[in-house]
Amino acid sequence: GNSVTQMEGPVTLSEEAFLTINCTYTATGYPSLFWYVQYPGEGLQLLLKATKADDKGSNKGFEATYRKETTSFHLEKGSVQVSDSAVYFCALATGGGNKLTFGTGTQLKVEL
Amino acid sequence: EAGVTQFPSHSVIEKGQTVTLRCDPISGHDNLYWYRRVMGKEIKFLLHFVKESKQDESGMPNNRFLAERTGGTYSTLKVQPAELEDSGVYFCASSLGGHTGNTIYFGEGSWLTVV
């Protein structure tokens, strides 16, 4: 079956630090990969996605590259801000459908 | 344009009671999904409606959970009777189409605590 493993949190960083949140996956077939973010008091929002190997998804300064050889989709940002504090979820979908398999989420806290 | 709205936002009920969660998808979205996140664990798929029909209900945990989508508009998720392990956040989501290219929009979630 499908599964997503992402690094345990919480992750605490200082503003302007470099961020990496690791995500690896196991999937039947050829998945599409996603990062969702949940800001405090809000619903899940799609942050970025990639649908094929070597694709790079990017949004709001965040990037993630679909690495088929390592089955990974690590999230990175060069300089985090306090406003990036949120819970980040890695997810996948297979078969072209919209049924998502999520990781456990990684809470990020950015301090001044 | 209104997003996906869920009600109630928070609910505390006793074991054995019944709770009904409601979801209003974005207008015109035929696809509606329910997900659940039990404390500290991953968000898990419960089921998928296309209009009023259940396309996939493989994630429903047991027969204490009943989801409906009358008329293909809003949806309800009833838990009866509630057990302690049902506590968590229940997310509803909707999308225009059912394929990966269609963005899924999530609601803020309904927090359920069973005591």
Side-chain angles (χ1 to χ4, degrees), chain A residues 4-53:
Chain A
V4 174
T5 302
Q6 58 182 110
M7 61 189 291
E8 294 279 334
V11 174
T12 302
L13 296 174
S14 298
E15 201 170 43
E16 300 184 0
F18 184 85
L19 168 71
T20 299
I21 300 178
N22 291 335
C23 172
T24 57
Y25 66 88
T26 302
T28 54
Y30 201 12
S32 294
L33 302 174
F34 308 84
W35 276 100
Y36 279 82
V37 58
Q38 185 178 22
Y39 297 103
E42 299 184 15
L44 289 164
Q45 300 173 24
L46 177 64
L47 181 59
L48 53 84
K49 70 178 184 182
T51 57
K52 62 182 187 295

Side-chain angles (χ1 to χ4, degrees), chain A residues 32 34 36 38 41-44 46 49 51 87 89 93 96-100 102-105, chain B residues 33 35 37 40-43 45 56 58 91 95 97-104 106-108:
Chain A
S32 294
F34 308 84
Y36 279 82
Q38 185 178 22
E42 299 184 15
L44 289 164
L46 177 64
K49 70 178 184 182
T51 57
V87 182
F89 294 91
N98 258 339
K99 179 179 176 180
L100 295 166
F102 285 91
T104 53
Chain B
Y33 312 82
Y35 286 82
R37 186 185 191 204
K41 298 196 173 180
E42 68 270 26
I43 301 170
F45 169 85
D56 180 350
S58 59
F91 291 102
S95 64
H99 297 285
T100 305
N102 301 117
T103 299
I104 302 176
F106 281 81
E108 293 180 14

